[in-house]
Amino acid sequence: MVGIELNILEDGFDFFDIPVEKLDYAIASMHTFTYSPKTHTREDNTNAFLKAMECPYVKILGHIDNPAYPIDYEKVILEAHKRHILIELNNASLHPDSARPGAKEKDRIILDICRKNNIPIILSSDAHIKYQINCFDLAEQLLEEISFPDELVVNYNMNLIEEYIIPLMK
């Protein structure tokens, strides 16, 4: 599969001349080097995620737990679910030295909304180095702490893999 993490910008994404028709999926995320948290309100950030979901290649919303970008979690998560877009639980966000301090508290809110609405999530290592690939230890620890149901984790559930991932491979 061919995928990319797209930076949400003021007016779209940073495709950098990538032929999007060659992508199987994209993860849409906010990063401080492309979308300033200082100049955007909670409503701006929420609307940016909602607009990002209009792109047919966006299949995952990445690290929406970033406290630098407050959003209306319920609005974003429910719209993502309606559009069949997964919410990522990012292992790197949970690391003590993360660039997203305070993400764990936001993840608890996100996971509570997902649990209450029976919305699946996907675990991501957000590996920036080869030995972190497929490393979900901190995400799994949080899931265990809050007794999040395994049946809502795409990585653990063949039915959800068939529903969300396999169609991307066609």
Side-chain angles (χ1 to χ4, degrees):
M1 292 179 62
V2 178
I4 189 170
E5 182 175 13
L6 300 172
N7 293 308
I8 295 174
L9 307 174
E10 301 288 334
D11 56 351
F13 299 110
D14 61 349
F15 279 108
F16 298 117
D17 299 323
I18 295 168
V20 293
E21 65 277 359
K22 297 201 183 264
L23 294 175
D24 294 306
Y25 72 98
I27 300 170
S29 307
M30 289 183 176
H31 296 94
T32 55
F33 53 87
T34 58
Y35 188 93
S36 173
K38 294 178 181 167
T39 58
H40 296 95
T41 65
R42 180 176 187 255
E43 185 177 1
D44 293 337
N45 299 336
T46 298
N47 288 334
F49 272 112
L50 295 174
K51 183 164 177 46
M53 287 188 265
E54 294 174 7
C55 175
Y57 298 99
V58 172
K59 302 299 180 192
I60 301 171
L61 296 183
H63 49 75
I64 67 170
D65 59 4
N66 190 340
Y69 300 107
I71 63 171
D72 181 333
Y73 289 111
E74 190 151 0
K75 189 173 189 176
V76 169
I77 291 167
L78 292 176
E79 182 63 23
H81 183 58
K82 188 170 107 179
R83 292 177 177 266
H84 213 66
I85 295 171
L86 291 165
I87 302 299
E88 171 198 67
L89 179 58
N90 187 302
N91 197 73
S93 290
L94 297 166
H95 194 277
D97 297 328
S98 169
R100 297 181 279 279
K104 187 173 186 176
E105 290 75 29
K106 302 302 181 188
D107 284 325
R108 289 177 182 277
I109 294 166
I110 292 163
L111 293 168
D112 188 52
I113 293 167
C114 290
R115 179 194 350 248
K116 286 179 182 173
N117 293 282
N118 206 36
I119 296 173
I121 62 159
I122 190 163
L123 302 182
S124 166
S125 58
D126 197 9
H128 287 219
I129 192 163
K130 67 182 178 182
Y131 65 82
Q132 292 176 339
I133 294 171
N134 202 34
C135 181
F136 307 126
D137 59 332
L138 299 172
E140 290 174 326
Q141 182 180 3
L142 176 59
L143 293 176
E144 188 175 321
E145 279 176 29
I146 64 166
S147 300
F148 192 82
D150 285 352
E151 54 270 10
L152 290 179
V153 181
V154 171
N155 311 62
Y156 302 158
N157 186 318
M158 185 50 94
N159 290 335
L160 291 175
I161 290 170
E162 289 173 354
E163 181 179 346
Y164 284 89
I165 306 302
I166 302 298
L168 301 177
M169 300 169 77
K170 297 180 180 183

